[in-house]
Amino acid sequence: MLPRSRQGRLIAAGAAADSIANGLFLASATLYFVQYLSLSAVAVGSAIASANVVGLLSPALFGPLADRVGARRVYVGLTLVRAAGFGAYAFVGDYAGYLVVSCVVTGALRAGQPLLQVIVGEFETDEERTRTMGSLRAIGNTGLTVGFLLAAVVQAADARAGFVGLFAFNALVFLAVARAVVAAGRAAEAAGGDPGRGTGPAAPPEPSGLPESSDVPEPAGPPERAEPSEPAASGPGGRADRGGSPFRDRRFLVVCGANAVLHLHDCVLFILLPLWTVQRAGLPESVSSALLAVNTVLTVVFQLTVARHARGAARSLRILRLACVFLVLACLVFAGAGASAGVRGPGAVVAAAVVAVVLLTTGENLHAVARWELSYEMSPARARGRYLSVFSMGQSAQLVFGPFLVTAFLLPGGTPGWLLLAALFLAATVTICGAARPFAVPEETAGREVEPVEPRR
């Protein structure tokens, strides 16, 4: 599960601590603010909604800053803000304080997420970049589960001091996360990389087995990324000619929007599935928890295996198309299981639900790997912080419209609702493949051109 490089393992250690702290907070925070601060559930919900709006917009502010001063510096700064925010939670005494701290913490969290992908791209080689991202996701799922279990201990204590201790613990954790990222940068520098410049480490390059490395393009990445500032439009989609603002890049914005639609699988898992299990399938509430456990275990086991096969835009688009197949099949199985719930016995419905979740989880993991690689490949090296931050805004937008869509239309719609979701997945995949096609064709051509110059005698 761990990355191969020292810098990758340090980032993974920070990601594990980060996810454990998030699991602790997510499982405990609402109870604390309702029970001990006497805030209403509606007030807590409105504060969370406001914080999500801030989190939707914050990447657009910090992405350009990361391109100017370095993604690592900005990410460490945002992590320190999160540490201060969790410390501040212990002193919050009213709704206004809760709202302000929640907005600050959520804004820092969402702004930092795309920058972590930039940092991984700077610290790791192209061969290891997506594998490391897969490792972080698998570790993150494991850490969340550990955090949920630890939160149960805090809740069992049934004392305000336990929750205050949780906030203090999280503050210390994020200080440690910031330190781990700093240490990872030093490890990358020691390994011969050039972190902070957006060009990726220079680590396997010189002794790569190519005797004439000065005349042959580096096989670690597409040739177009080597000269991001050249005026010639030699890269895919005219990459070198694209401006520094992703908001003027139509192809990239189209991919961002369509990717947000594909992210509806998150709402299906965490919002629609528990409601569908009880209201449509007529199963006990505990079944949805078991289905979510299946998802978590499969993600931890499956993510790294998939990540090994994603490298370059062309391969990522093939993986994305495969992800769409699994997502559509999951919708069809869910539709069939719901329609036959009154005819078949509960055992058959549960079995169908398990198959649907396995299909959905497979599609989710394939999509995750494809979007990491594709978003990175479509981002100019000198503006990668801005591009990936805007890409993450598309993912966050799903948190705004997704819950309403799945609860207001898909759940009451029954079988037609699932068919509508399958059509949305299919349309989003077709849109992404069309918009990103110019990035994939040159990559395949480049691959054929590099092959003959490899030493074979």
Side-chain angles (χ1 to χ4, degrees):
M1 187 183 297
L2 292 176
R4 294 188 177 97
S5 66
R6 173 172 168 76
Q7 58 267 29
R9 290 192 294 271
L10 285 167
I11 295 176
D18 189 317
S19 59
I20 290 172
N22 277 326
L24 272 166
F25 182 76
L26 291 173
S28 306
T30 302
L31 177 62
Y32 170 79
F33 291 112
V34 171
Q35 183 172 335
Y36 292 100
L37 290 190
S38 300
L39 299 179
S40 68
V42 174
V44 171
S46 66
I48 293 173
S50 300
N52 280 329
V53 172
V54 174
L56 174 64
L57 301 175
S58 62
L61 300 176
F62 289 94
L65 180 63
D67 287 332
R68 286 197 297 269
V69 304
R72 181 174 31 153
R73 291 179 180 177
V74 176
Y75 183 83
V76 169
L78 290 170
T79 304
L80 294 176
V81 169
R82 293 171 70 190
F86 277 104
Y89 271 128
F91 300 97
V92 166
D94 55 18
Y95 175 76
Y98 172 59
L99 174 63
V100 170
V101 175
S102 294
C103 288
V104 170
V105 170
T106 303
L109 167 65
R110 299 284 170 74
Q113 286 172 338
L115 299 186
L116 185 60
Q117 185 181 356
V118 178
I119 291 171
V120 170
E122 292 173 350
F123 288 1
E124 297 281 41
T125 62
D126 282 5
E127 292 88 345
E128 292 296 317
R129 183 182 67 239
T130 301
R131 184 187 184 279
T132 297
M133 289 297 298
S135 177
L136 297 185
R137 189 167 190 261
I139 289 170
N141 276 274
T142 305
L144 276 176
T145 304
V146 173
F148 293 154
L149 295 175
L150 292 176
V153 177
V154 175
Q155 293 167 353
D158 196 22
R160 180 169 183 169
F163 290 94
V164 172
L166 182 154
F167 297 141
F169 173 78
N170 277 12
L172 294 175
V173 164
F174 286 111
L175 290 176
V177 171
R179 183 174 178 83
V181 174
V182 172
R186 292 171 180 164
E189 291 168 353
D194 191 17
R197 296 186 180 272
T199 57
E206 296 295 0
S208 62
L210 296 176
E212 300 165 357
S213 58
S214 60
D215 298 323
V216 179
E218 290 294 337
E224 64 269 71
R225 280 219 317 261
E227 296 290 335
S229 59
E230 286 291 328
S234 57
R239 173 180 300 176
D241 273 349
R242 294 188 296 156
S245 173
F247 294 105
R248 294 198 297 266
D249 190 330
R250 293 181 181 178
R251 288 187 181 276
F252 189 78
L253 292 178
V254 167
V255 171
C256 288
N259 181 69
V261 175
L262 280 178
H263 259 281
L264 285 172
H265 54 63
D266 279 352
C267 285
V268 171
L269 272 173
F270 299 110
I271 297 176
L272 183 59
L273 180 61
L275 297 173
W276 176 88
T277 300
V278 176
Q279 297 181 14
R280 287 288 174 180
L283 300 173
E285 296 179 2
S286 58
V287 173
S288 66
S289 298
L291 293 174
L292 288 175
V294 170
N295 169 264
T296 302
V297 172
L298 284 178
T299 296
V300 172
V301 173
F302 187 55
Q303 186 71 84
L304 271 181
T305 302
V306 178
R308 293 191 184 99
H309 301 285
R311 183 181 165 201
R315 193 175 297 181
S316 297
L317 290 177
R318 289 195 292 270
I319 292 176
L320 187 70
R321 289 191 287 268
L322 184 59
C324 179
V325 171
F326 281 99
L327 293 175
V328 169
L329 287 175
C331 292
L332 297 179
V333 175
F334 271 124
S340 62
V343 180
R344 297 183 179 181
V349 178
V350 169
V354 170
V355 171
V357 168
V358 170
L359 291 170
L360 190 70
T361 302
T362 304
E364 171 201 359
N365 283 277
L366 289 169
H367 169 230
V369 168
R371 66 177 168 83
W372 291 332
E373 186 71 6
L374 192 61
S375 62
Y376 196 92
E377 289 290 322
M378 292 185 70
S379 304
R382 298 294 176 88
R384 192 152 282 144
R386 277 165 282 181
Y387 269 71
L388 293 182
S389 292
V390 169
F391 193 81
S392 76
M393 291 174 65
Q395 298 169 212
S396 298
Q398 175 265 151
L399 297 173
V400 177
F401 71 79
F404 175 76
L405 177 65
V406 299
T407 54
F409 293 98
L410 301 187
L411 181 63
T415 298
W418 286 110
L419 295 180
L420 171 61
L421 182 60
L424 288 174
F425 285 146
L426 182 59
T429 302
V430 171
T431 300
I432 292 175
C433 291
R437 184 176 301 158
F439 291 80
V441 175
E443 178 190 347
E444 293 171 346
T445 304
R448 290 194 297 269
E449 290 172 354
V450 172
E451 185 70 22
V453 301
E454 302 246 352
R456 298 186 183 279
R457 294 186 178 86

